[in-house]
Amino acid sequence: GLGYTVYRAGKPYISPETQEILGYEAQYIAETTIETPGDPATLRVIKSDQELKRGDRLMPTADGDMPLSYFPRPPENHIVGSIIRVMGGVSQIGQRDVVVIDKGTADGIEVGHTLDIYRKGRIVTDNVQPGASVPVKLPDEIAGVLMVFRPFERVSYALVMEATDAIHTLDRVQTP
């Protein structure tokens, strides 16, 4: 039957480059079905994670909107972005973790697109020159692969498919 997913606007997603707000995290609250259509309509809550509050948002439940089989492939155009959030509040990101990247459909991102994850190269001190210590940035190293499963206009949710190294927020993602 027809229904709505109830969600609450959460923390903003902010671009690491421009500091602009790219969107807001949608915090899942409940699933409902329409009991009595009309204006106002009556909804029956069939599953909830927490109490519904005045001001919560409704989104029509997407039946069959999410493709169940993905064909992982790199984007046709060159993409360079960043991981801006990890879902589930973990600080170290690993395989099967869900992350948010700062690129979306406006950048040509589609379901199934894969991107390489690069861990930011550490800054080390070079003491080779006598009497001078110079900070040197090591090259970024590939640390894994992610696949987009839910793109929005300016951000996308992606699944870390492979992680050969610890991954962190603000690590770079780019076309293979």
Side-chain angles (χ1 to χ4, degrees):
L2 192 61
Y4 287 93
T5 299
V6 182
Y7 70 96
R8 195 168 293 153
K11 297 196 289 262
Y13 293 128
I14 294 167
S15 162
E17 274 105 68
T18 63
Q19 301 307 310
E20 67 181 315
I21 293 175
L22 304 177
Y24 289 88
E25 194 167 277
Q27 188 187 353
Y28 172 86
I29 306 292
E31 287 304 329
T32 66
T33 55
I34 296 177
E35 188 96 327
T36 322
D39 188 6
T42 310
L43 303 176
R44 174 186 294 271
V45 176
I46 47 178
K47 179 174 161 247
S48 74
D49 267 13
Q50 49 182 297
E51 198 178 330
L52 282 70
K53 291 187 181 154
R54 182 189 294 257
D56 283 349
R57 314 273 180 179
L58 299 173
M59 209 168 359
T61 302
D63 270 340
D65 188 25
M66 289 280 284
L68 295 176
S69 56
Y70 301 110
F71 299 99
R73 67 206 187 282
E76 292 76 60
N77 49 346
H78 185 63
I79 301 269
V80 179
S82 300
I83 292 174
I84 55 172
R85 180 81 45 89
V86 195
M87 306 315 279
V90 290
S91 57
Q92 287 229 349
I93 308 163
Q95 209 154 326
R96 288 190 289 285
D97 278 333
V98 172
V99 297
V100 182
I101 62 169
D102 62 352
K103 297 289 173 220
T105 53
D107 307 285
I109 293 280
E110 294 169 16
V111 170
H113 274 171
T114 55
L115 294 168
D116 288 341
I117 304 165
Y118 284 86
R119 187 181 156 175
K120 279 205 188 330
R122 296 193 318 275
I123 308 284
V124 294
T125 308
D126 178 359
N127 294 317
V128 176
Q129 313 298 352
S133 57
V134 184
V136 175
K137 185 184 177 298
L138 296 177
D140 293 352
E141 283 172 33
I142 192 154
V145 177
L146 57 74
M147 184 187 72
V148 170
F149 65 87
R150 187 78 170 88
F152 296 93
E153 191 186 354
R154 317 271 313 268
V155 297
S156 298
Y157 286 0
L159 182 69
V160 176
M161 292 166 56
E162 276 169 48
T164 49
D165 208 333
I167 298 163
H168 304 87
T169 44
L170 298 184
D171 277 352
R172 180 163 55 93
V173 294
Q174 75 171 52
T175 333

CSV table of all heavy atoms in Angstrom, one decimal, residues 68-109:
chain,number,residue,atom,x,y,z
A,68,LEU,N,17.8,-3.2,-6.9
A,68,LEU,CA,18.3,-4.2,-6.1
A,68,LEU,C,19.6,-4.8,-6.6
A,68,LEU,O,20.4,-5.4,-5.8
A,68,LEU,CB,17.3,-5.3,-5.9
A,68,LEU,CG,16.0,-4.9,-5.1
A,68,LEU,CD1,15.0,-6.0,-5.1
A,68,LEU,CD2,16.4,-4.4,-3.7
A,69,SER,N,19.8,-4.7,-7.9
A,69,SER,CA,21.1,-5.2,-8.4
A,69,SER,C,21.9,-4.0,-9.0
A,69,SER,O,21.3,-3.2,-9.7
A,69,SER,CB,20.9,-6.2,-9.5
A,69,SER,OG,20.1,-5.7,-10.5
A,70,TYR,N,23.2,-3.9,-8.6
A,70,TYR,CA,24.0,-2.8,-9.1
A,70,TYR,C,25.0,-3.3,-10.1
A,70,TYR,O,25.4,-4.5,-10.0
A,70,TYR,CB,24.7,-2.2,-7.9
A,70,TYR,CG,23.9,-1.7,-6.8
A,70,TYR,CD1,23.8,-2.3,-5.6
A,70,TYR,CD2,23.1,-0.5,-7.0
A,70,TYR,CE1,23.0,-1.8,-4.6
A,70,TYR,CE2,22.3,0.0,-6.0
A,70,TYR,CZ,22.2,-0.7,-4.8
A,70,TYR,OH,21.4,-0.2,-3.8
A,71,PHE,N,25.4,-2.5,-11.0
A,71,PHE,CA,26.4,-2.9,-11.9
A,71,PHE,C,27.6,-1.9,-11.7
A,71,PHE,O,27.6,-0.8,-12.2
A,71,PHE,CB,26.0,-2.8,-13.4
A,71,PHE,CG,24.8,-3.8,-13.6
A,71,PHE,CD1,23.5,-3.4,-13.6
A,71,PHE,CD2,25.1,-5.2,-13.7
A,71,PHE,CE1,22.5,-4.3,-13.7
A,71,PHE,CE2,24.0,-6.1,-13.9
A,71,PHE,CZ,22.7,-5.6,-13.9
A,72,PRO,N,28.5,-2.3,-10.8
A,72,PRO,CA,29.6,-1.3,-10.4
A,72,PRO,C,30.4,-0.9,-11.7
A,72,PRO,O,30.7,-1.8,-12.5
A,72,PRO,CB,30.4,-2.1,-9.4
A,72,PRO,CG,29.6,-3.2,-9.0
A,72,PRO,CD,28.6,-3.5,-10.1
A,73,ARG,N,30.6,0.4,-11.8
A,73,ARG,CA,31.4,0.9,-13.0
A,73,ARG,C,31.8,2.3,-12.6
A,73,ARG,O,31.2,3.0,-11.9
A,73,ARG,CB,30.5,0.9,-14.2
A,73,ARG,CG,29.4,1.9,-14.2
A,73,ARG,CD,28.2,1.6,-15.0
A,73,ARG,NE,27.3,2.7,-15.0
A,73,ARG,CZ,26.4,3.0,-14.0
A,73,ARG,NH1,26.4,2.2,-13.0
A,73,ARG,NH2,25.6,4.0,-14.1
A,74,PRO,N,33.0,2.7,-13.1
A,74,PRO,CA,33.4,4.0,-12.8
A,74,PRO,C,32.6,5.1,-13.6
A,74,PRO,O,32.1,4.7,-14.7
A,74,PRO,CB,34.9,4.1,-13.3
A,74,PRO,CG,35.0,2.9,-14.2
A,74,PRO,CD,34.0,1.9,-13.9
A,75,PRO,N,32.5,6.3,-13.1
A,75,PRO,CA,31.8,7.4,-13.8
A,75,PRO,C,32.5,7.6,-15.1
A,75,PRO,O,33.7,7.4,-15.2
A,75,PRO,CB,31.9,8.6,-12.9
A,75,PRO,CG,32.3,8.1,-11.6
A,75,PRO,CD,33.0,6.8,-11.8
A,76,GLU,N,31.7,8.1,-16.1
A,76,GLU,CA,32.3,8.4,-17.4
A,76,GLU,C,33.2,9.7,-17.3
A,76,GLU,O,34.3,9.7,-17.9
A,76,GLU,CB,31.3,8.7,-18.5
A,76,GLU,CG,30.4,7.5,-18.9
A,76,GLU,CD,29.4,7.1,-17.8
A,76,GLU,OE1,28.5,7.9,-17.6
A,76,GLU,OE2,29.5,5.9,-17.3
A,77,ASN,N,32.7,10.6,-16.5
A,77,ASN,CA,33.5,11.9,-16.4
A,77,ASN,C,34.4,11.8,-15.2
A,77,ASN,O,34.2,11.0,-14.3
A,77,ASN,CB,32.6,13.1,-16.4
A,77,ASN,CG,31.5,13.0,-15.4
A,77,ASN,OD1,31.2,11.9,-14.9
A,77,ASN,ND2,30.8,14.1,-15.0
A,78,HIS,N,35.5,12.7,-15.2
A,78,HIS,CA,36.5,12.7,-14.1
A,78,HIS,C,35.9,13.3,-12.9
A,78,HIS,O,35.4,14.5,-12.9
A,78,HIS,CB,37.7,13.5,-14.6
A,78,HIS,CG,38.8,13.4,-13.6
A,78,HIS,ND1,39.4,12.2,-13.2
A,78,HIS,CD2,39.4,14.4,-12.9
A,78,HIS,CE1,40.4,12.5,-12.3
A,78,HIS,NE2,40.4,13.8,-12.1
A,79,ILE,N,35.9,12.6,-11.7
A,79,ILE,CA,35.3,13.1,-10.5
A,79,ILE,C,36.4,13.1,-9.4
A,79,ILE,O,37.2,12.2,-9.3
A,79,ILE,CB,34.2,12.1,-10.0
A,79,ILE,CG1,33.1,12.0,-11.0
A,79,ILE,CG2,33.7,12.6,-8.6
A,79,ILE,CD1,31.9,12.9,-10.9
A,80,VAL,N,36.5,14.3,-8.7
A,80,VAL,CA,37.4,14.3,-7.5
A,80,VAL,C,36.6,14.9,-6.4
A,80,VAL,O,36.0,16.0,-6.6
A,80,VAL,CB,38.6,15.2,-7.8
A,80,VAL,CG1,39.5,15.2,-6.5
A,80,VAL,CG2,39.5,14.7,-8.9
A,81,GLY,N,36.4,14.2,-5.3
A,81,GLY,CA,35.6,14.7,-4.2
A,81,GLY,C,36.2,14.2,-2.9
A,81,GLY,O,37.4,13.8,-2.8
A,82,SER,N,35.4,14.3,-1.8
A,82,SER,CA,35.8,13.9,-0.5
A,82,SER,C,34.8,13.2,0.2
A,82,SER,O,33.6,13.3,0.0
A,82,SER,CB,36.1,15.2,0.3
A,82,SER,OG,37.1,16.0,-0.2
A,83,ILE,N,35.2,12.3,1.2
A,83,ILE,CA,34.3,11.7,2.1
A,83,ILE,C,34.0,12.7,3.2
A,83,ILE,O,34.9,13.3,3.8
A,83,ILE,CB,34.9,10.4,2.7
A,83,ILE,CG1,35.1,9.4,1.7
A,83,ILE,CG2,34.1,9.9,3.9
A,83,ILE,CD1,35.9,8.1,2.2
A,84,ILE,N,32.7,13.1,3.4
A,84,ILE,CA,32.4,14.1,4.3
A,84,ILE,C,31.7,13.6,5.6
A,84,ILE,O,31.6,14.4,6.5
A,84,ILE,CB,31.6,15.3,3.7
A,84,ILE,CG1,30.3,14.8,3.0
A,84,ILE,CG2,32.5,16.0,2.7
A,84,ILE,CD1,29.4,15.9,2.5
A,85,ARG,N,31.2,12.4,5.6
A,85,ARG,CA,30.5,11.9,6.8
A,85,ARG,C,30.6,10.4,6.7
A,85,ARG,O,30.5,9.8,5.7
A,85,ARG,CB,29.1,12.4,6.7
A,85,ARG,CG,28.2,12.0,7.9
A,85,ARG,CD,28.3,12.8,9.2
A,85,ARG,NE,28.3,14.2,9.0
A,85,ARG,CZ,27.3,15.0,8.9
A,85,ARG,NH1,26.1,14.5,9.0
A,85,ARG,NH2,27.4,16.3,8.8
A,86,VAL,N,30.6,9.8,7.9
A,86,VAL,CA,30.5,8.3,8.0
A,86,VAL,C,29.2,8.0,8.8
A,86,VAL,O,29.0,8.6,9.8
A,86,VAL,CB,31.6,7.7,8.9
A,86,VAL,CG1,31.7,6.2,8.6
A,86,VAL,CG2,33.0,8.3,8.6
A,87,MET,N,28.4,7.1,8.3
A,87,MET,CA,27.2,6.8,9.0
A,87,MET,C,27.5,5.9,10.1
A,87,MET,O,28.4,5.1,10.0
A,87,MET,CB,26.2,6.2,8.0
A,87,MET,CG,25.9,7.0,6.8
A,87,MET,SD,25.6,8.8,7.1
A,87,MET,CE,23.9,8.8,7.7
A,88,GLY,N,26.8,6.0,11.2
A,88,GLY,CA,27.0,5.1,12.3
A,88,GLY,C,28.0,5.6,13.3
A,88,GLY,O,28.3,4.9,14.3
A,89,GLY,N,28.5,6.8,13.1
A,89,GLY,CA,29.3,7.5,14.1
A,89,GLY,C,30.7,6.8,14.4
A,89,GLY,O,31.2,7.0,15.5
A,90,VAL,N,31.2,6.0,13.5
A,90,VAL,CA,32.5,5.5,13.7
A,90,VAL,C,33.6,6.4,13.2
A,90,VAL,O,33.3,7.2,12.3
A,90,VAL,CB,32.7,4.1,13.1
A,90,VAL,CG1,31.9,3.0,13.8
A,90,VAL,CG2,32.4,4.1,11.6
A,91,SER,N,34.8,6.4,13.8
A,91,SER,CA,35.8,7.4,13.3
A,91,SER,C,36.7,6.7,12.3
A,91,SER,O,37.1,7.4,11.3
A,91,SER,CB,36.6,7.9,14.5
A,91,SER,OG,37.2,6.8,15.1
A,92,GLN,N,37.0,5.5,12.4
A,92,GLN,CA,37.7,4.8,11.4
A,92,GLN,C,36.8,4.0,10.4
A,92,GLN,O,35.9,3.4,10.9
A,92,GLN,CB,38.7,3.8,12.0
A,92,GLN,CG,39.9,4.5,12.6
A,92,GLN,CD,41.2,3.9,12.2
A,92,GLN,OE1,41.2,2.8,11.6
A,92,GLN,NE2,42.3,4.5,12.6
A,93,ILE,N,37.0,4.2,9.2
A,93,ILE,CA,36.0,3.6,8.2
A,93,ILE,C,36.7,2.4,7.6
A,93,ILE,O,37.8,2.3,7.3
A,93,ILE,CB,35.8,4.7,7.0
A,93,ILE,CG1,35.4,6.0,7.6
A,93,ILE,CG2,34.8,4.1,6.1
A,93,ILE,CD1,35.5,7.2,6.7
A,94,GLY,N,35.8,1.3,7.5
A,94,GLY,CA,36.3,0.1,6.9
A,94,GLY,C,35.3,-0.5,5.9
A,94,GLY,O,34.3,0.2,5.5
A,95,GLN,N,35.6,-1.7,5.5
A,95,GLN,CA,34.7,-2.4,4.5
A,95,GLN,C,33.3,-2.5,5.0
A,95,GLN,O,33.1,-2.6,6.2
A,95,GLN,CB,35.3,-3.8,4.3
A,95,GLN,CG,34.9,-4.3,2.9
A,95,GLN,CD,35.9,-5.4,2.5
A,95,GLN,OE1,37.1,-5.3,2.9
A,95,GLN,NE2,35.5,-6.4,1.8
A,96,ARG,N,32.4,-2.3,4.1
A,96,ARG,CA,30.9,-2.3,4.3
A,96,ARG,C,30.4,-1.2,5.2
A,96,ARG,O,29.2,-1.1,5.5
A,96,ARG,CB,30.5,-3.7,5.0
A,96,ARG,CG,30.5,-4.8,3.9
A,96,ARG,CD,29.9,-6.1,4.4
A,96,ARG,NE,30.7,-6.7,5.5
A,96,ARG,CZ,31.8,-7.4,5.2
A,96,ARG,NH1,32.3,-7.5,4.0
A,96,ARG,NH2,32.4,-8.0,6.2
A,97,ASP,N,31.2,-0.2,5.5
A,97,ASP,CA,30.7,1.1,6.1
A,97,ASP,C,30.1,1.9,5.0
A,97,ASP,O,30.4,1.9,3.9
A,97,ASP,CB,31.8,1.9,6.8
A,97,ASP,CG,32.2,1.3,8.2
A,97,ASP,OD1,31.2,0.7,8.8
A,97,ASP,OD2,33.3,1.4,8.7
A,98,VAL,N,29.1,2.7,5.5
A,98,VAL,CA,28.4,3.6,4.6
A,98,VAL,C,29.0,5.0,4.8
A,98,VAL,O,29.1,5.5,6.0
A,98,VAL,CB,26.9,3.6,4.8
A,98,VAL,CG1,26.2,4.7,4.0
A,98,VAL,CG2,26.3,2.2,4.4
A,99,VAL,N,29.3,5.7,3.7
A,99,VAL,CA,29.9,7.1,3.8
A,99,VAL,C,29.1,8.0,3.0
A,99,VAL,O,28.3,7.6,2.1
A,99,VAL,CB,31.4,7.1,3.4
A,99,VAL,CG1,32.2,6.2,4.3
A,99,VAL,CG2,31.6,6.7,2.0
A,100,VAL,N,29.2,9.3,3.2
A,100,VAL,CA,28.6,10.3,2.4
A,100,VAL,C,29.8,11.0,1.7
A,100,VAL,O,30.8,11.4,2.3
A,100,VAL,CB,27.8,11.3,3.2
A,100,VAL,CG1,27.2,12.4,2.3
A,100,VAL,CG2,26.8,10.6,4.1
A,101,ILE,N,29.6,11.2,0.3
A,101,ILE,CA,30.6,12.0,-0.4
A,101,ILE,C,30.0,13.3,-0.9
A,101,ILE,O,28.8,13.4,-1.0
A,101,ILE,CB,31.2,11.1,-1.6
A,101,ILE,CG1,30.1,10.8,-2.6
A,101,ILE,CG2,31.9,9.9,-1.1
A,101,ILE,CD1,30.7,10.2,-3.9
A,102,ASP,N,30.9,14.3,-1.2
A,102,ASP,CA,30.4,15.6,-1.5
A,102,ASP,C,30.1,15.7,-3.0
A,102,ASP,O,30.3,16.8,-3.6
A,102,ASP,CB,31.3,16.7,-1.0
A,102,ASP,CG,32.7,16.5,-1.6
A,102,ASP,OD1,33.0,15.6,-2.4
A,102,ASP,OD2,33.6,17.5,-1.4
A,103,LYS,N,29.8,14.7,-3.7
A,103,LYS,CA,29.4,14.7,-5.1
A,103,LYS,C,28.1,14.0,-5.3
A,103,LYS,O,27.8,13.0,-4.6
A,103,LYS,CB,30.5,14.1,-6.0
A,103,LYS,CG,31.8,14.7,-5.9
A,103,LYS,CD,31.9,16.1,-6.6
A,103,LYS,CE,33.2,16.8,-6.4
A,103,LYS,NZ,33.1,18.2,-6.2
A,104,GLY,N,27.3,14.5,-6.3
A,104,GLY,CA,26.0,13.9,-6.5
A,104,GLY,C,25.5,13.9,-8.0
A,104,GLY,O,26.4,14.1,-8.9
A,105,THR,N,24.2,13.9,-8.2
A,105,THR,CA,23.7,13.8,-9.6
A,105,THR,C,24.1,15.1,-10.3
A,105,THR,O,24.3,15.0,-11.6
A,105,THR,CB,22.2,13.6,-9.6
A,105,THR,OG1,21.6,14.6,-8.7
A,105,THR,CG2,21.8,12.3,-9.0
A,106,ALA,N,24.2,16.2,-9.7
A,106,ALA,CA,24.6,17.4,-10.3
A,106,ALA,C,26.0,17.3,-10.9
A,106,ALA,O,26.4,18.0,-11.9
A,106,ALA,CB,24.6,18.6,-9.4
A,107,ASP,N,26.8,16.4,-10.4
A,107,ASP,CA,28.2,16.1,-10.9
A,107,ASP,C,28.2,14.9,-11.8
A,107,ASP,O,29.3,14.5,-12.3
A,107,ASP,CB,29.1,15.8,-9.7
A,107,ASP,CG,29.1,16.9,-8.6
A,107,ASP,OD1,29.6,18.0,-8.9
A,107,ASP,OD2,28.4,16.7,-7.6
A,108,GLY,N,27.1,14.3,-12.1
A,108,GLY,CA,27.0,13.2,-13.0
A,108,GLY,C,27.1,11.8,-12.3
A,108,GLY,O,27.3,10.8,-13.0
A,109,ILE,N,27.0,11.8,-11.0
A,109,ILE,CA,27.1,10.6,-10.2
A,109,ILE,C,25.8,9.8,-10.4
A,109,ILE,O,24.7,10.3,-10.3
A,109,ILE,CB,27.4,10.9,-8.7
A,109,ILE,CG1,28.8,11.5,-8.5
A,109,ILE,CG2,27.2,9.6,-7.9
A,109,ILE,CD1,29.9,10.5,-8.6
